[in-house]
């Protein structure tokens, strides 16, 4: 899962986050993160949702489980 997003909160952005930049939301075994430069910033998804807005999708679409994962789990059972 990779989602492009922009900072959209009225609050002062975290260190390194620039209002005009686009960021990529990703998830790995440690959790959700976005990158500032080469540094991965891990945050709770609810906080990320408060600070950023996805581009081209809604948060519901971004966080909805993919049908491929659901199908593969059904096949395993």
């Amino acid at each position: 899962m990779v989602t492009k997003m922009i900072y959209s909160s009225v609050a002062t952005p975290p260190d390194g986050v620039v209002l005009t930049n686009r960021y990529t939301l990703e998830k790995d075994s440690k959790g959700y993160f976005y990158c500032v430069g080469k540094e991965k910033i891990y945050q709770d998804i609810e906080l990320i949702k408060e600070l950023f807005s996805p581009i081209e999708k809604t948060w519901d679409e971004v966080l909805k489980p993919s049908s491929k994962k659901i199908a593969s789990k059904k096949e395993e059972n």
Side-chain angles (χ1 to χ4, degrees):
M1 174 198 79
V2 176
T3 301
K4 297 286 184 186
M5 59 185 190
I6 57 171
Y7 187 80
S8 59
S9 175
V10 295
T12 302
D15 288 342
V17 173
V18 179
L19 295 175
T20 56
N21 286 358
R22 292 180 180 203
Y23 297 90
T24 302
L25 174 69
E26 297 185 52
K27 184 179 180 184
D28 63 14
S29 61
K30 293 182 183 178
Y32 289 97
F33 67 91
Y34 60 92
C35 293
V36 174
K38 294 183 179 184
E39 182 181 2
K40 291 181 180 180
I41 309 296
Y42 286 90
Q43 300 243 310
D44 180 76
I45 189 61
E46 293 304 317
L47 180 58
I48 291 173
K49 287 169 56 178
E50 287 181 31
L51 299 177
F52 294 89
S53 293
I55 299 171
E56 300 177 5
K57 294 183 179 182
T58 65
W59 280 118
D60 288 338
E61 293 170 323
V62 169
L63 300 175
K64 183 171 79 173
S66 74
S67 57
K68 288 180 183 178
K69 288 182 183 176
I70 293 170
S72 66
K73 284 184 181 179
K74 286 181 181 178
E75 289 173 7
E76 290 174 4
N77 295 332

